[in-house]
Amino acid sequence: MKKLIAGAILLGASSMAFAQPGCGVGAMIWKGQSGIAPHVLAATTNGTFGNQTFGMTTGTLGCQTNQSVQSMAMYMDSNIDKVARDMSRGSGENLDTLAVLLGVDEADRDTFRKVLQDNFATIFPNSDTTSGEAVDAIVALLEQNESLSKYVAA
């Protein structure tokens, strides 16, 4: 059991080491640094000051987003629990609303739903995940997907 727990911690730590903190004051302060400590400090700074969502909504604080991503961020602020529920199921009105806000074509909607459902644990790693953190994770995932990256291009 101890080996299983240690393995899970190491796996989580190694994946966090490569993650980027996104944008906001925390990301600006800790920019260019890698590893767990700068990532946690950047996220903590953003969470403490609540600036990341503001930056995504306004396109400031190092958050270079397009209008569609800004709309999604504003929607997520008010509907994060409903979006999380639909995302975990891979379907639902709130997930469809995200697709519409991002301008996802009908032909790409199934891929959009599948990518978000398959990466639910990345988007919502815990119950305290903020809407800003979830939006950052969604944007990062979509940027990595060949057919969906066009919807989040800055």
Side-chain angles (χ1 to χ4, degrees):
M1 183 64 160
K2 288 181 183 178
K3 288 181 181 181
L4 180 63
I5 292 171
I9 290 171
L10 287 174
L11 179 63
S14 65
S15 65
M16 275 184 61
F18 297 105
Q20 298 299 316
C23 61
V25 172
M28 294 172 80
I29 292 171
W30 302 99
K31 185 176 183 175
Q33 298 184 33
S34 61
I36 295 171
H39 178 79
V40 170
L41 290 169
T44 302
T45 302
N46 287 341
T48 301
F49 295 106
N51 61 60
Q52 192 169 35
T53 303
F54 172 79
M56 285 186 290
T57 304
T58 61
T60 60
L61 301 174
C63 302
Q64 299 175 359
T65 59
N66 62 26
Q67 185 65 39
S68 298
V69 174
Q70 291 173 15
S71 296
M72 180 182 66
M74 290 176 17
Y75 182 78
M76 289 284 289
D77 275 344
S78 302
N79 299 286
I80 189 168
D81 293 332
K82 295 173 191 172
V83 170
R85 181 193 63 227
D86 287 358
M87 195 178 295
S88 70
R89 295 187 301 198
S91 65
E93 178 181 339
N94 295 284
L95 195 55
D96 290 341
T97 300
L98 288 188
V100 169
L101 290 171
L102 288 173
V104 177
D105 294 331
E106 283 289 336
D108 292 330
R109 298 257 174 107
D110 286 339
T111 303
F112 176 79
R113 290 182 199 103
K114 179 149 180 51
V115 166
L116 295 185
Q117 183 183 24
D118 290 351
N119 291 283
F120 178 81
T122 301
I123 298 167
F124 293 100
N126 59 57
S127 61
D128 296 328
T129 301
T130 66
S131 61
E133 293 167 338
V135 168
D136 275 351
I138 291 168
V139 169
L141 286 167
L142 297 181
E143 285 175 337
Q144 295 171 11
N145 185 288
E146 187 176 321
S147 63
L148 300 175
S149 62
K150 61 187 170 195
Y151 301 112
V152 292

